[in-house]
Amino acid sequence: SYVLTQPPSVSVAPGETASLTCGGNNIGDKSVHWYQQKPGQAPVLVIYYNTDRPSGIPERFSGSNSGNTATLTLSRVEAGDEADYYCQVSDSFSDHRVFGGGTKLTVL
Amino acid sequence: QVLLVQSGAEVTKPGASVKVSCKASGYGFTTYDLNWVRQATGQGLEWMGRMNPENGNTAFAEKFQGRLNMTRNTSVNTVYMELSSLTSEDTAIYYCARGSGSYEFWGQGTLVTVSS
């Protein structure tokens, strides 16, 4: 089965930029989606199909996907961005979906 | 607005089965797949499977083959997830989520506790 690898934790100072990675074999050929999850809450979709933002998600959230790595970039990080972030892939050749293990973003 | 409302918390014993419901409203029920995703305490998200409510077709993660079933009742816009042969490792919050690729809408989650 397809494996997605995320670093367990990333720390960033307020106002700086955080880059959260999601590694997978030829992940650039797939569609990557990103979720933010705060304690006690259901996940929230923040990026879909590699680069698109749902309505209500700040422009500070952006995504990219190429080769073996997809990246979620949070610019001008705020304290409220502290959460767990999960990547997930989909492709038209498979009925199955998979999540990465998640990255805990800490705002220092 | 789109809402996915799940049934309440369950406590069940090892070896038993549990059935959790997800009632959809605010959109065409047969238009989007419904997925089930679970999360054990302190752990990550785990995709379990999905159903096409229009035709009832399902796809399950290999890990759950043989003990996971999904059904639907289109008259009440509800999808059901049933997991059998439960062990303590199945203790988790179970979420339904709408979508085929990405999941923009999620249920509130249902805590299933497996304990003797």
Side-chain angles (χ1 to χ4, degrees):
Chain A
S1 60
Y2 194 73
V3 176
L4 295 174
T5 302
Q6 297 184 250
S9 62
V10 168
S11 298
V12 63
E16 299 298 309
T17 296
S19 295
L20 281 62
T21 59
C22 177
N25 186 39
N26 293 322
I27 196 173
D29 295 335
K30 302 181 184 296
S31 297
V32 179
H33 319 290
W34 291 90
Y35 303 86
Q36 175 193 70
Q37 187 182 34
K38 297 182 178 180
Q41 298 181 18
V44 173
L45 180 68
V46 295
I47 292 289
Y48 64 104
Y49 290 106
N50 302 319
T51 59
D52 294 340
R53 275 179 292 104
S55 60
I57 300 301
E59 292 183 8
R60 301 185 297 104
F61 288 76
S62 63
S64 63
N65 184 21
S66 179
N68 292 316
T69 304
T71 304
L72 172 67
T73 302
L74 282 69
S75 304
R76 303 181 301 282
V77 167
E78 303 173 355
D81 297 331
E82 189 163 284
D84 295 325
Y85 290 84
Y86 295 91
C87 61
Q88 177 234 327
V89 297
S90 63
D91 69 58
S92 57
F93 299 102
S94 172
D95 285 333
H96 294 80
R97 304 290 179 254
V98 63
F99 287 94
T103 295
K104 180 176 181 58
L105 177 67
T106 299
V107 181
L108 301 171
Chain B
Q1 77 280 28
V2 174
L3 281 177
L4 299 175
V5 179
Q6 299 181 220
S7 49
E10 301 266 6
V11 179
T12 187
K13 294 189 181 302
S17 299
V18 70
K19 192 171 186 177
V20 180
S21 67
C22 173
K23 182 175 177 61
S25 62
Y27 72 97
F29 177 64
T30 58
T31 307
Y32 296 89
D33 286 0
L34 278 169
N35 300 257
W36 289 92
V37 177
R38 76 177 186 179
Q39 185 172 38
T41 303
Q43 303 301 308
L45 302 174
E46 181 175 33
W47 182 81
M48 300 177 67
R50 64 178 185 162
M51 162 172 271
N52 180 329
E54 181 175 24
N55 56 26
N57 287 350
T58 55
F60 301 148
E62 187 174 343
K63 173 177 180 176
F64 300 103
Q65 293 281 354
R67 68 184 191 105
L68 176 62
N69 193 27
M70 295 180 189
T71 56
R72 92 280 196 212
N73 184 335
T74 55
S75 66
V76 292
N77 292 354
T78 301
V79 170
Y80 304 90
M81 183 280 299
E82 185 170 20
L83 190 62
S84 60
S85 303
L86 294 169
T87 73
S88 59
E89 296 192 351
D90 294 313
T91 294
I93 297 174
Y94 290 73
Y95 295 100
C96 61
R98 191 194 84 168
S100 299
S102 61
Y103 310 142
E104 185 172 9
F105 297 99
W106 294 68
Q108 81 276 20
T110 296
L111 175 62
V112 173
T113 303
V114 183
S115 174
S116 55

